[in-house]
Amino acid sequence: MRLRWIVALTAALSLGLAGCSSQPNSSAASGDQVDRTIVIGVGGEPSNLNPVFGDIYGSVYGDHWPVFSSLLDYGQDLELQPDLAAELPEVSTDGTEVTVKVRDDARWHDGEPVTAADVAFTYNAILDPSVATPVRDLLFRSLRKVDALDAETARFTLHEPDQAFLAKLTTGIVPEHVLAGQDLNKAAFNLAPVGSGPFVFDELRPGERIVLTANPDYYGGEVGLERVVVTFVEDESARVRQLETGALDVDAEGLGPQTIRRFEDNPDYRVVRIPGDLLTLTLPTTNAFFKQAEVRRAIGKAIDRQQLVDGLAAGAGRVVSGPFYPDHWATDPSVSVAYDPDAARAELAAHGWKPGPDGVLVRDGERFRFDLIYGHGYAEDAAALAIRDALGNIGIEVKPKALDYAEQQKQVAAGAASLQGLGNAYDPAIDVFDTYHSSLSDDDPSGNVARVESRRIDAAIERGERSNDLAERTAAYHELHRLLVEHGSWQYLMQGDNYYAVRADVSGVEPQVREGHVHGFSRGLLWNLADWSVSGP
Amino acid sequence: MTRHRNHGLGRLVARRLLVLPVVLVAVAAMTYLLVAVSPFDPMSAYEAGSAGLSAQAKDEIRAAWGMDAPTYLQFLHWLGNVLQGDLGHSRLLGGQPVLPQLGARLAPTAILVGTALALTLVGGLLAGVAAAAFRDSWVDRAIRGLSYVSVAAPSFWTGLLLLWVFSSWLGWFPAGGSANLRARDVGLVDPRYLVLPAIALAATQFAWFAMFVRNQLLEVMREDYVVFAQAQGIGRWPVLLRHALPNALLPFLTLAGVHLAEIVGGTILVETVFSWPGLGQLAVEAARAVDLPLLVGITLLGSVTVVLGNLLADVCYRVADPRIRESTA
Amino acid sequence: MTGEGTPVLEVRGLGVSFRTRRGTVAALRDIDLQVAPGQVQVVVGESGSGKSVLAHSLLGLLPRNVEVSGSVRLEGEDLLGVAPERMRQLRAQHLAYVPQSPATSLNPVRRTASLMAEAARVKGVRRADLGERLPAVGAAVGLDYGSVARRYPHQLSGGMQQRVVNALALLGKPDLVVADEPTTGLDRDRVTATGNELLRLADEGASVLVITHDLDLAAALGGRTAVLYGGRLVEERPTAALFTRPAHPYTAALLAAMPARGLHPIPGQPPELTDPPPGCPFAPRCERVRPECGEQVPAATTLPDGRVWCHAAR
C-alpha cells in the first residue's frame, strides 16, 4: 500500500529573500581543511539509520541509502538487478519459495564477510513482532520465514505466492555479528550503523549532518566521491540560500516549481526533474452524495486536468487518466477522461440535481455541498482550491478542510472526500490490493479509503497478482485501469514533477526514470551516488 | 554580615533545590497528562510517515514501545526508571537513551542561548544607558526607534533579514548551520556561524532590556541619592554608572527569569531559520512525533534551566541589594 | 543686610519658573539675598513657598523644564549659565549640600566608606590621605568612622545618617553649605542636635544657608533669617530681631502660629503659584491690608537691621 497525503507536490513559496548574488564555495575557501566533499541537503533528520525499520525517512522503499546494500536493487529504468545477490533469485514453481545466492566478495565495513546468515537475520528481525517496524506489515505479510541454507544461500518461505516479492528484496541487509542478541529497537547501531554499501558511516552530528566516506573495499567497484556530507535543512528557502552561497552542492529534498526557476537559467546549476506522485481526488462510495458511479464520473468530467497541470505544476506536470504512472507498463494508454462540464451538468440533472437560486445544485431541498479533506501545506491548499473552483463551476459547493493526519484518517474513514497522493513506481502488485480490493473496504482507514466494492475490480487485482506472465498481468492491470475510471470513486488528476538542483561541477548525475516520492538520500536522484564525482573541491 | 548573608542565601538555594525535583515531577506528569488528553496519538503520528498499518501491526509497535499501557501507568513506569537515572528511550532518535542524546544536542543550543543572553545584556545595557544619558537627543530617539522595530519584528523575520543582508548580499556570514559542512573535525560550533543567529535571538530581548534600562535609569535619576551625588560634584558619568545604574538594574534581576524563559523558547524559531542544530528544532520534532520520553526530557531540561536561571537571578538580587540580603538572613 | 566683607553668595533678582502643561508656574520671583563669609543665613517658609527651588538653584540642580532670570553669584562667579563641568567643579570644591532626608539621600547599595571615599576624591582629597581624612572629618561631626565604614546606609541610625551627610558636606572645606530642610521628620531632640551640627559646620569656616519651615530650628541657629512667601521674600533681618519684633504681617502671623506662642492659625490659603495675586502675595490673608496691597508688589523697605517688603511698613 503506497498511499500518502499529497506531499509529493513540492510546490512551495520561496520567500525570495535569498540570493541577490551568489558566492560559490565561499565557505570552502575559508581555510578549513576540506576534501573533495559533496554536501547534500535533505529536509529532515532521519530518526533511524537501521534499514530494518524501513526508510530512514519513515517510508518503506527508501531502503537503499548507500551505507547498506541489498539483495536486489533497481537500475536507472527501475528494472530489478542483483546487488548482494550473485544473480536474480530463483522462485519455486508454486511461487512460495525464493532462493537467493549471496555474492562471496562482499564485506561489512568492519571487514567481516557478508553471508546468507546476515540475510536471514535481517528478514527474521523484520518478522519479529517485538521489533517495532512498520515494514513487517506493509511489505512482508506474505513472508513466513527465512533460512540460511549455507553461507551463500538464503531461502525465503512465503505463506502464498507474491508477485511483488522480489521488489521487496531491496531492504538493506544488516550485520548479524554486530546485532545478534540485542534489542533492535534500542540498539546503538540505529544511529551508528555498519553496512556493506559503497559508503562507510563516519559520523552523525545531531541535528546537522551525517558524514559518509568512500568504502575502499566496495565489491561494486571504485567509489567516485571521497566524502559525502548529508545535512538536514528543513526550510526550503534556507536550502536555496545555502545552495546559492555554496554551502550545499545538491538539494535532494526537492524544490517547488516556482523556486526551481531561479536555478534553471544559471550555468552553475543543473536542474534535475523526476516525475512524482499522482494527485487524486477520492469520492467514497459510502458518502450519500457519491453513491452513483454516474455522479462520481460527472464530478471527474467537471475538472479540467490540463488547467490543474498549468496552475499547480507551472505547466511542467502531466495529465493522468488512471492509477499508474503514465509511462508504466500497467497503464492502458487508450484511456482518457475528457473535460466536459456540460455533460457533467446534464448527468447530475438526470440524477435530480438542479441549480438552486444561488447556482448551487439542489435535490429534494438538499444542497450539493461536501467537505474536501487534505493535509496542511501550501501546495495542498492550492490543489484543494483548484478543485473547489472547478466543481463550483458546475454548481457543487466544496469546502476545503486542511487537517492533521489523525483527523484526516477519521474523516476519510467516515466517508469524506479527500485529496490523496498516490505513487508506486514499481510493481503494481505492491499496492493495488490494499488500495482497491473490496475485502479492505471497512471502517479501518488504513486500506481502500474510497470504499471501492466491485467484483470485477477484485478479479482484475487478483489476476494481476496471481499471474507470472507479464502479458497476462499487463492485460489485467489495463482492465483494472479501465474499471477504476468507470467506477469513478478515484479521480486521477495529474502528475507533478519533483525538482532537484545540483551544482554543475558534480558529474555522474543520472537519475532514475521515476520516483513517486521524495526519499532524501535514497533512490530517485541519488540512486547511483557511488558513481558521482566532483571536479573541484 | 557576611555570615548572615551566606546563611540566608544558603537557605534560599537549599530550599529551591529541594523543591526542584517536585517541580520536575509535576512538569513531567503535566506533560503526560497533556498528551493523554490531547487528540494526538503517538501511533497516528508514527503512521503519518508510513500509512496503512494494520491494527495488529499497530498493537505490536505500541507494545514494543510500552505505549500499550494506560498513560498513567506509562508515567509511573517512566518515573520508576528515572529514579534509576534512565529517562527512557526515544523513537525519534533511533531508540537511543534520551539523557545522553539530549546531552549531545544541548551544547549548540546552550552556546546560542548564552551568546544571545550576553549580547542582550551588554547591548541592552549600553543602548539603555546611552539613551538615558542623552535623553531626547537623536541618540535616544534612534535607540528607541530601533527598539520599537525589534519588538514588533518577529524573530524569524529579523533572522531572514539578517541572512539576506549579511549572508546573501554582503556575504560576510554563512547562510546557516553551525559549522562549515565541508570541514573535518569541526568543534562544537564555528563562531562565524554563531553571529547571525545569536543576534536574531538577542534581538527578541534587546529592545525590552534597553528600554527597561533607559526608563529605569531616568526614574532612578530623580531619586534623592542621585541628586545628592550630583550635589557633591560627582561627575555626570560616575553618577549615572555608579549611583543610578546599580539601583536601576536591581528590579531587572527579579524579571530575568521570565525573560530567560522567553529566550529559551525563542530558540525554536531562530534555530529553524538558521538551520541551527539545537534542541529547539528537536523539541518541535518530538512534539510532532508525540515522542513522550524525548518530549518530557526536553521539557524537563527547559524547566531546570528556567528554575536554575531564576535561582541565579534571585541569588544575584540578594547579593546586589544589601537591604534584601539582610532581610533574608 | 550687613556688609562684612565680600559676600560668599549674592543672589540678585532671581526668578525661577517652570514650564508645565498648564502654563508657566513662577516658583521664585525677585529674590535678593547675600550671605557673608562665616554667616548663618536661614530661609523660612511654608511648603510651596519655593524653598527647595531656591536650594536647587544655588546648586545648579534645577530640572530641565525651567526658565531662570536674575543672577546667582558664588564668590563673584555667576552660577546661572555656567558650563556643566564648571558647575560640577563648583559643587565639588566650593559648595556643600545637606539634603532634606539623609535616609533616602545615601545610595542604598553602597557602603558608607565607599560613598565617603568617592566624595572625598571628587572634592580633591588624595587617595593616600583618605585613611586619615575620613576619620578626621567624621570626628568633626561626631561620627565614629570606624564603626560605620563597612555598613550600608540602611544599617545606620537616623542620627548616624545625618552625621554621615554632614561629614560629606565638610569634606571639601566648602565656602557655602546649603542645607535643605535638614530637620524634616526629626524629633525635638534631634532638631536641636542637627542645629548644633550645622553651627559646627559654620565653626569650620563655611557660610551656612539653611532652608527650613522649622521656626524652632531658625531660632536655634541664630544668624540672619529671610522669610519666603508665595515665591517672594517678605522680610530679611537678624534672626533674633525678627523673632522678637517681626516687621512683616506674615512673619508676625507665622510666629503666632508656633505652638509655643498659642498656635493661632493663619486664616485663608497660601496663593496658587499658577495664578498669583497681582500685588503683595500675602494681601488676601493680611489683617493690615491696604488698597494698594492688592495692586502693586511692594518694593523693599530698608530697615536699620534689614529689609521688609510691605506697603504697611513704609
Side-chain angles (χ1 to χ4, degrees):
Chain A
M1 164 101 189
R2 199 65 183 91
L3 176 135
R4 285 213 318 199
W5 308 89
I6 58 168
V7 289
L9 274 176
T10 49
L13 253 192
S14 162
L15 278 157
L17 283 178
C20 287
S21 68
S22 74
Q23 286 87 29
N25 288 323
S26 62
S27 51
S30 55
D32 297 298
Q33 189 199 344
V34 292
D35 297 271
R36 289 162 69 108
T37 294
I38 192 167
V39 183
I40 301 174
V42 298
E45 180 173 3
S47 59
N48 202 317
L49 302 178
N50 184 344
V52 162
F53 295 95
D55 186 354
I56 56 176
Y57 287 94
S59 55
V60 296
Y61 295 103
D63 34 43
H64 197 257
W65 80 289
V67 168
F68 292 95
S69 40
S70 46
L71 289 175
L72 302 182
D73 184 12
Y74 288 106
Q76 190 179 4
D77 297 325
L78 298 186
E79 77 287 6
L80 272 178
Q81 58 193 29
D83 180 10
L84 268 179
E87 60 213 33
L88 281 176
E90 216 171 275
V91 183
S92 66
T93 40
D94 68 349
T96 60
E97 277 189 2
V98 177
T99 309
V100 187
K101 285 273 176 205
V102 178
R103 59 191 295 162
D104 58 5
D105 57 350
R107 291 191 170 267
W108 295 107
H109 295 152
D110 63 8
E112 296 290 315
V114 181
T115 67
D118 294 313
V119 174
F121 177 82
T122 301
Y123 284 93
N124 284 324
I126 290 173
L127 292 181
D128 179 352
S130 71
V131 174
T133 173
V135 178
R136 175 169 58 253
D137 184 51
L138 297 175
L139 289 182
F140 294 106
R141 273 181 292 190
S142 62
L143 178 62
R144 186 156 62 170
K145 60 169 183 164
V146 190
D147 299 299
L149 301 183
D150 56 44
E152 289 173 15
T153 317
R155 174 176 295 159
F156 294 79
T157 309
L158 310 189
H159 295 294
E160 62 205 1
D162 178 356
Q163 282 310 323
F165 189 74
L166 293 192
K168 298 171 182 175
L169 294 181
T170 52
T171 300
I173 302 299
V174 298
E176 180 180 29
H177 69 279
V178 175
L179 284 168
Q182 291 194 39
D183 176 357
L184 283 193
N185 295 325
K186 297 172 181 173
F189 179 92
N190 295 348
L191 291 187
V194 177
S196 55
F199 291 96
V200 180
F201 175 85
D202 179 34
E203 178 191 20
L204 164 65
R205 265 169 75 92
E208 185 185 273
R209 67 174 88 161
I210 290 174
V211 181
L212 311 178
T213 55
N215 176 5
D217 304 320
Y218 182 49
Y219 58 81
E222 203 186 326
V223 178
L225 294 166
E226 211 171 319
R227 199 158 161 269
V228 175
V229 175
V230 179
T231 183
F232 326 123
V233 186
E234 193 153 0
D235 184 43
E236 184 186 57
S237 58
R239 287 198 308 278
V240 168
R241 255 190 321 269
Q242 296 196 13
L243 269 174
E244 292 184 334
T245 54
L248 288 186
D249 297 311
V250 181
D251 173 84
E253 182 66 17
L255 299 170
Q258 313 300 329
T259 311
I260 200 69
R261 286 184 181 164
R262 64 194 304 137
F263 297 103
E264 264 166 356
D265 298 324
N266 189 331
D268 290 340
Y269 303 93
R270 173 175 166 194
V271 170
V272 175
R273 175 202 287 194
I274 306 175
D277 273 1
L278 310 186
L279 172 67
T280 69
L281 167 67
T282 63
L283 303 170
T285 57
T286 47
N287 186 314
F289 288 114
F290 312 133
K291 284 236 179 297
Q292 294 93 358
E294 294 84 355
V295 171
R296 298 194 294 264
R297 284 199 301 267
I299 290 174
K301 280 182 206 163
I303 299 170
D304 184 348
R305 289 158 168 76
Q306 187 56 49
Q307 198 183 352
L308 286 183
V309 169
D310 295 341
L312 301 178
R318 60 207 62 79
V319 167
V320 297
S321 66
F324 311 114
Y325 287 178
D327 56 346
H328 198 281
W329 55 264
T331 289
D332 180 348
S334 68
V335 180
S336 67
V337 178
Y339 169 58
D340 192 346
D342 292 332
R345 283 192 197 92
E347 191 70 66
L348 290 169
H351 280 81
W353 292 105
K354 304 271 167 57
D358 60 352
V360 175
L361 299 178
V362 181
R363 183 176 69 184
D364 303 335
E366 191 188 12
R367 290 158 67 85
F368 204 137
R369 178 182 189 284
F370 64 86
D371 290 345
L372 177 60
I373 308 303
Y374 64 101
H376 295 280
Y378 172 79
E380 289 79 354
D381 285 341
L385 292 178
I387 302 293
R388 183 196 64 183
D389 292 348
L391 298 189
N393 192 33
I394 59 161
I396 296 176
E397 194 179 349
V398 176
K399 191 158 188 305
K401 265 192 182 168
L403 300 173
D404 63 56
Y405 182 75
E407 193 57 29
Q408 290 175 47
Q409 289 278 64
K410 220 178 281 173
Q411 304 242 356
V412 169
S418 63
L419 287 180
Q420 307 273 356
L422 200 57
N424 173 12
Y426 312 102
D427 195 305
I430 291 177
D431 67 353
V432 288
F433 186 92
D434 288 5
T435 314
Y436 308 112
H437 199 276
S438 64
S439 66
L440 291 176
S441 173
D442 51 28
D443 288 339
D444 183 338
S446 62
N448 197 348
V449 294
R451 312 297 283 264
V452 181
E453 293 171 10
S454 155
R455 278 214 199 109
R456 292 164 66 206
I457 287 177
D458 289 352
I461 292 170
E462 287 157 21
R463 247 193 352 270
E465 223 168 34
R466 219 178 297 121
S467 169
N468 278 329
D469 178 54
L470 184 60
E472 202 178 321
R473 297 189 71 207
T474 303
Y477 289 128
H478 283 193
E479 190 190 350
L480 178 63
H481 180 172
R482 292 190 297 272
L483 289 171
L484 282 169
V485 169
E486 198 176 302
H487 195 261
S489 55
W490 284 79
Q491 292 297 330
Y492 307 98
L493 303 174
M494 59 165 277
Q495 179 182 36
D497 288 346
N498 295 320
Y499 299 96
Y500 309 89
V502 181
R503 291 195 59 83
D505 55 6
V506 178
S507 50
V509 181
E510 299 287 345
Q512 283 173 317
V513 292
R514 288 185 293 271
E515 176 47 67
H517 304 277
V518 177
H519 279 301
F521 54 106
S522 54
R523 301 254 183 250
L525 174 68
L526 303 177
W527 74 284
N528 66 338
L529 191 61
D531 299 332
W532 288 19
S533 60
V534 279
S535 48
Chain B
M1 295 303 149
T2 311
R3 189 174 49 81
H4 275 212
R5 178 200 329 167
N6 290 343
H7 187 52
L9 279 181
R11 269 200 353 216
L12 172 81
V13 172
R15 209 166 49 222
R16 294 284 187 83
L17 291 183
L18 281 176
V19 173
L20 182 60
V22 181
V23 171
L24 294 184
V25 169
V27 166
M30 209 58 193
T31 313
Y32 269 88
L33 182 70
L34 277 176
V35 170
V37 301
S38 81
F40 304 108
D41 160 40
M43 209 50 235
S44 66
Y46 191 89
E47 240 198 309
S50 49
L53 281 184
S54 70
Q56 188 198 342
K58 289 181 193 172
D59 287 345
E60 286 169 2
I61 290 175
R62 277 203 191 93
W65 285 114
M67 301 186 302
D68 49 348
T71 310
Y72 77 93
L73 279 183
Q74 289 184 44
F75 173 67
L76 291 178
H77 183 237
W78 175 86
L79 200 58
N81 286 339
V82 167
L83 295 179
Q84 296 157 36
D86 176 10
L87 277 178
H89 293 250
S90 162
R91 281 178 287 124
L92 206 55
L93 304 176
Q96 301 306 295
V98 165
L99 201 56
Q101 285 292 320
L102 283 187
R105 288 161 197 254
L106 176 63
T109 295
I111 290 170
L112 179 60
V113 168
T115 311
L117 205 57
L119 277 180
T120 303
L121 293 181
V122 173
L125 198 63
L126 290 178
V129 168
F134 303 104
R135 181 187 184 175
D136 294 334
S137 72
W138 67 268
V139 176
D140 184 23
R141 284 199 301 272
I143 290 170
R144 273 189 288 164
L146 186 68
S147 298
Y148 296 143
V149 170
S150 84
V151 158
S155 57
F156 71 87
W157 189 87
T158 315
L160 288 174
L161 190 71
L162 287 171
L163 279 171
W164 180 53
V165 174
F166 294 104
S167 177
S168 295
W169 185 25
L170 295 173
W172 294 354
F173 293 103
S178 73
N180 186 344
L181 290 167
R182 290 166 210 279
R184 288 188 183 199
D185 304 325
V186 283
L188 276 176
V189 301
D190 179 334
R192 280 170 304 170
Y193 288 72
L194 178 60
V195 175
L196 296 184
I199 290 175
L201 186 55
T204 61
Q205 298 298 315
F206 161 83
W208 167 83
F209 187 56
M211 285 303 96
F212 174 85
V213 170
R214 175 190 182 271
N215 297 338
Q216 210 45 48
L217 263 181
L218 291 179
E219 190 99 341
V220 167
M221 287 300 282
R222 291 202 288 267
E223 293 284 342
D224 287 348
Y225 50 83
V226 175
V227 174
F228 183 50
Q230 287 170 324
Q232 290 172 71
I234 297 171
R236 162 187 159 94
W237 287 104
V239 165
L240 199 65
L241 299 179
R242 300 186 55 187
H243 287 265
L245 190 59
N247 287 286
L249 288 181
L250 282 179
F252 162 71
L253 290 171
T254 62
L255 298 169
V258 179
H259 292 275
L260 179 67
E262 283 180 14
I263 281 207
V264 169
T267 55
I268 293 180
L269 273 180
V270 170
E271 287 184 359
T272 304
V273 171
F274 288 93
S275 318
W276 188 262
L279 285 177
Q281 290 207 57
L282 189 64
V284 176
E285 292 291 318
R288 258 192 227 160
V290 202
D291 185 343
L292 256 172
L294 183 58
L295 194 59
V296 172
I298 294 173
T299 313
L300 291 186
L301 197 63
S303 308
V304 170
T305 308
V306 170
V307 169
L308 292 186
N310 268 310
L311 178 57
L312 184 69
D314 280 354
V315 167
C316 290
Y317 187 51
R318 276 159 178 77
V319 170
D321 191 335
R323 292 164 295 186
I324 310 263
R325 191 191 305 171
E326 193 109 318
S327 66
T328 54
Chain C
M1 162 83 229
T2 51
E4 307 141 25
T6 322
V8 171
L9 176 72
E10 187 172 19
V11 180
R12 287 246 174 267
L14 176 66
V16 177
S17 47
F18 292 82
R19 294 184 299 269
T20 70
R21 281 199 198 85
R22 296 187 307 161
T24 302
V25 177
L28 289 178
R29 280 178 295 179
D30 295 331
I31 305 295
D32 285 312
L33 205 58
Q34 296 185 23
V35 183
Q39 187 193 330
V40 175
Q41 172 73 55
V42 183
V43 177
V44 296
E46 297 168 277
S47 56
S49 62
K51 298 190 306 283
S52 285
V53 176
L54 179 59
H56 285 149
S57 311
L58 304 182
L59 289 154
L61 291 176
L62 288 172
R64 296 140 50 96
N65 60 331
V66 293
E67 280 167 16
V68 187
S69 56
S71 69
V72 175
R73 290 179 186 280
L74 183 71
E75 307 274 10
E77 182 172 357
D78 193 350
L79 301 186
L80 304 180
V82 74
E85 175 53 21
R86 177 61 188 156
M87 189 65 231
R88 189 196 65 73
Q89 283 174 6
L90 289 173
R91 284 188 213 127
Q93 288 158 16
H94 298 281
L95 286 164
Y97 177 55
V98 178
Q100 188 167 354
S101 157
T104 58
S105 295
L106 295 171
N107 195 324
V109 302
R110 304 271 301 271
R111 291 178 201 272
T112 310
S114 158
L115 287 171
M116 288 182 68
E118 184 186 20
R121 295 284 295 136
V122 163
K123 290 174 185 298
V125 178
R126 287 183 306 170
R127 193 178 298 278
D129 297 340
L130 285 177
E132 193 187 323
R133 181 84 175 112
L134 297 184
V137 81
V141 296
L143 181 73
D144 177 10
Y145 176 75
S147 72
V148 298
R150 296 285 301 154
R151 300 209 205 168
Y152 287 95
H154 74 279
Q155 296 167 325
L156 305 177
S157 71
M160 283 197 280
Q161 290 169 342
Q162 182 72 57
R163 281 174 212 159
V164 170
V165 161
N166 290 349
L168 288 169
L170 274 189
L171 273 169
K173 298 208 167 114
D175 301 316
L176 177 67
V177 177
V178 178
D180 182 9
E181 293 279 19
T183 58
T184 305
L186 298 187
D187 58 38
R188 272 304 104 192
D189 292 344
R190 287 295 319 145
V191 170
T192 312
T194 304
N196 291 335
E197 279 153 21
L198 290 170
L199 289 175
R200 186 143 50 171
L201 297 181
D203 291 344
E204 296 284 318
S207 302
V208 179
L209 180 78
V210 181
I211 297 172
T212 183
H213 72 286
D214 186 337
L215 296 176
D216 290 323
L217 175 67
L221 287 171
R224 299 183 66 85
T225 294
V227 180
L228 206 50
Y229 184 79
R232 290 181 181 278
L233 285 181
V234 295
E235 182 169 0
E236 192 277 321
R237 292 171 62 215
T239 305
L242 181 136
F243 270 75
T244 46
R245 290 183 314 280
H248 195 281
Y250 172 65
T251 314
L254 207 55
L255 294 175
M258 288 173 72
R261 302 193 185 196
L263 208 64
H264 303 293
I266 310 175
Q269 296 292 322
E272 285 287 335
L273 293 180
T274 43
D275 184 22
C280 172
F282 191 60
R285 304 168 78 184
C286 187
E287 289 176 353
R288 291 152 64 187
V289 66
R290 299 176 176 199
E292 65 264 40
C293 292
E295 292 161 11
Q296 204 179 348
V297 178
T301 304
T302 306
L303 304 177
D305 57 354
R307 291 167 297 163
V308 64
W309 288 258
C310 180
H311 291 294
R314 280 180 191 279

